[in-house]
Amino acid sequence: MRISIIGTGYVGLVSGACFAEIGHDCVCVDLDPSKVERINRGETPIHENGLEPMLKRLVGKRLRATTDLRQAVLDSDITFIAVGTPFDGQRIDLTYIREAARQIGEALREKSSYHVVVVKSTVVPGTTDDVVRPVLEQASGKKAGADFGVGMNPEFLTEGVAVDDFMKPDRIVIGGIDERAIDAQREVYKPFANTPTLATNNKTAEMIKYVSNSVLATMISFSNEMANVCTALGGVDIADVMRGVHLARYFTTTLPDGKPVKAGITSFLWAGLGYGGSCLPKDTKALSAHAATHGQPMPLLDAVIATNLAQPARVVGLLERHLKQLNGKRIALLGLAFKPDTDDMRESPSIGLAKLLIDKGVKVSAYDPVARETGRAALPSAVAHHESLDSLMQDIDAAVIVTSWDEFQRVPQLLAGRADAPVIIDGRRILEPASVPRYEGIGRRS
Ligand code: NAD
């Protein structure tokens, strides 16, 4: 099929490349000409495993990028909207969605053949039918259902493993105003015919995405609350507790050959610095705000959000326990990105933590193997950035593991035999407590 994608960020670019990979002709549209030029040179503007080789292979064949939205829509059969949907402090900000829909509608005015417009961005339930559809109808002067179709296809990819997630999906959710809009999407996903596919209405598709993210955020904050109780109780380590919890048959299945297999959800039942990124923080807030406008408060989800926001302060408390006064101390942040294998700094816990430490008079230094440019841009300018883990670990009083990059497994080796070993606050519980001279982990009483 001929596909156009509006918005070439993490979701739009990965989707575009993967659609081309499975045989479609794909054009990615973005407002940013420098992004478009880079993509057309086969370079990726974001760090995502496996994406660059894909671009190198497909650009100029079945994949290209452009700033010309109108032409892209005219030259395709189906258009996916993958623009940002930030939280503005009160509610979801649909400015980019409205504008993209308006521009697509104007292009549809010139088109005589049937076209399908699909919202891939995460939008609060009701947006596709009550916002996107009327904007498209008004801008095109045409009728949805008769002249064009409208659908909703939420994206579940995880940054860092996005290409893999897209190419080996666990589920495909397709919403549509009618069978024709749904069938067009089925055609796009035909190569994934063995993947469980749920066809439904647009509002349900939108809600599936929010419930999926809310349950993950809830697991994380639940685990962190339990970890904080362990710290308060003393003599109990949340890591041991969670290992015991994970052994339940709900979390660890035994295969017929006797081999135990842990369910993926267990990685969300693990204590740490809290969630970040471009999805869980904004989506939980947007859903709660949206539900409130429908007279339905969400106290459980609100507590999930509050617990997460408080987690960086817990680390400050652990540092104070070991170093007493933080003023003038030298503290290193190991990792900046909200998770490993990405350079995405959006709502990373490292930002809040760096600010708290700077307010306490700490000299903050940092190193992230990938989030270098994005890390510099997101953190306060007072943070000193290092180019290697080895240099970061010199002349410090403490180090906080913020991101669970594999490289940080080297920390024990770097500290071996050092008389001046800094205290390590393991914000992701990735090291063995006995592996470094002075260890503190979230959810553990030293
Ligand atoms: P992003 O900010 O990385 O990218 C959005 C892109 O859209 C930007 O490059 C911007 O320039 C472009 N854009 C905005 N308006 C445009 C217009 N009118 N025409 C052309 N380009 C336009 O966003 P993202 O992280 O890819 O997220 C996009 C959507 O997908 C959001 O709703 C997000 O919640 C959802 N989502 C994100 C992820 C993720 O892991 N990042 C996963 C699932 C769903």
Side-chain angles (χ1 to χ4, degrees):
M1 278 179 99
R2 298 178 309 159
I3 300 177
S4 49
I5 301 187
I6 316 304
T8 308
Y10 286 84
V11 167
L13 183 55
V14 171
S15 307
C18 293
F19 282 149
E21 177 80 1
I22 60 174
H24 299 297
D25 273 323
C26 201
V27 54
C28 291
V29 183
D30 207 279
L31 299 169
D32 181 349
S34 66
K35 233 181 218 184
V36 165
E37 280 161 28
R38 285 186 73 176
I39 295 165
N40 283 333
R41 285 199 303 266
E43 295 167 13
T44 165
I46 53 168
H47 177 88
E48 198 52 65
N49 282 330
L51 186 58
E52 191 136 311
M54 227 172 186
L55 295 187
K56 295 242 180 303
R57 208 169 53 243
L58 294 163
V59 165
K61 293 178 186 132
R62 293 193 298 274
L63 180 66
R64 68 187 174 88
T66 179
T67 53
D68 190 345
L69 184 149
R70 175 186 158 273
Q71 200 58 48
V73 172
L74 291 178
D75 292 344
S76 56
D77 312 303
I78 184 164
T79 300
F80 287 84
I81 302 178
V83 299
T85 49
F87 185 73
D88 71 4
Q90 301 289 322
R91 63 185 70 81
I92 190 170
D93 177 356
L94 295 174
T95 311
Y96 300 111
I97 289 280
R98 279 201 183 85
E99 181 54 17
R102 188 190 62 75
Q103 290 175 278
I104 296 165
E106 280 178 3
L108 290 183
R109 192 175 272 277
E110 298 177 49
K111 208 171 171 190
S112 50
S113 57
Y114 177 78
H115 193 98
V116 178
V117 181
V118 180
V119 177
K120 203 174 221 336
S121 300
T122 304
V123 291
V124 290
T127 305
T128 303
D129 291 339
D130 303 338
V131 177
V132 174
R133 179 180 175 157
V135 171
L136 287 168
E137 286 186 326
Q138 212 204 351
S140 65
K142 296 185 172 180
K143 194 94 197 93
D147 306 312
F148 63 90
V150 184
M152 204 287 142
N153 168 226
E155 181 50 60
F156 299 104
L157 58 77
T158 307
E159 284 179 26
V161 288
V163 170
D164 229 40
D165 275 358
F166 201 99
M167 296 304 290
K168 294 178 213 144
D170 50 6
R171 62 191 142 162
I172 295 168
V173 174
I174 293 173
I177 53 169
D178 53 21
E179 276 307 310
R180 206 175 170 194
I182 287 175
D183 285 347
Q185 294 172 75
R186 281 194 198 280
E187 186 62 29
V188 170
Y189 288 106
K190 211 171 176 180
F192 301 122
N194 293 331
T195 302
T197 301
L198 184 89
T200 181
N201 60 36
N202 289 331
K203 210 179 219 175
T204 306
E206 291 163 334
M207 189 65 179
I208 289 171
K209 175 66 189 175
Y210 279 96
V211 176
S212 299
N213 277 354
S214 297
V215 76
L216 298 181
T218 302
M219 296 285 118
I220 294 170
S221 280
F222 168 84
S223 306
N224 287 336
E225 187 169 283
M226 294 302 156
N228 296 337
V229 173
C230 290
T231 304
L233 293 175
V236 51
D237 188 332
I238 189 69
D240 295 333
V241 173
M242 282 307 182
R243 277 184 205 110
V245 171
H246 292 175
L247 288 174
R249 65 173 63 86
Y250 320 112
F251 301 120
T252 304
T253 310
T254 309
L255 296 180
D257 65 2
K259 204 175 148 209
V261 179
K262 252 194 200 186
I265 191 72
T266 55
S267 64
F268 294 86
L269 286 165
W270 195 248
L273 249 170
Y275 58 79
S278 66
C279 292
L280 299 194
K282 83 170 171 61
D283 294 347
T284 45
K285 287 183 262 181
L287 180 61
S288 175
H290 190 60
T293 65
H294 287 70
Q296 182 56 59
M298 298 188 76
L300 177 61
L301 197 57
D302 292 342
V304 165
I305 296 165
T307 300
N308 192 60
L309 286 175
Q311 215 51 16
R314 293 276 171 175
V315 169
V316 175
L318 294 178
L319 284 163
E320 281 173 336
R321 188 196 290 163
H322 284 266
L323 303 177
K324 311 289 179 251
Q325 263 298 333
L326 292 190
N327 190 16
K329 294 286 185 328
R330 300 152 306 171
I331 298 179
L333 304 184
L334 276 64
L336 296 174
F338 84 96
K339 68 185 287 295
D341 296 319
T342 181
D343 60 351
D344 198 344
M345 284 295 296
R346 289 178 284 184
E347 304 218 31
S348 173
S350 64
I351 302 170
L353 179 58
K355 285 182 183 157
L356 288 175
L357 293 176
I358 289 167
D359 286 349
K360 296 240 172 214
V362 170
K363 291 179 186 137
V364 180
S365 54
Y367 162 73
D368 188 292
V370 167
R372 294 179 184 206
E373 267 175 55
T374 50
R376 272 177 213 276
L379 257 57
S381 56
V383 175
H385 293 265
H386 285 246
E387 290 301 311
S388 74
L389 179 63
D390 301 60
S391 101
L392 181 77
M393 295 302 286
Q394 302 300 320
D395 305 320
I396 50 171
D397 300 297
V400 183
I401 299 178
V402 176
T403 316
S404 54
W405 286 104
D406 283 347
E407 185 179 352
F408 301 151
Q409 295 292 343
R410 273 202 314 119
V411 167
Q413 184 195 325
L414 286 175
L415 297 184
R418 245 172 77 174
D420 64 339
V423 60
I424 302 295
I425 309 288
D426 189 350
R428 297 297 175 187
R429 301 303 309 261
I430 59 170
L431 298 183
E432 280 305 318
S435 67
V436 291
R438 297 165 72 200
Y439 178 92
E440 184 64 83
I442 285 181
R444 176 180 179 273
R445 184 93 179 175
S446 55

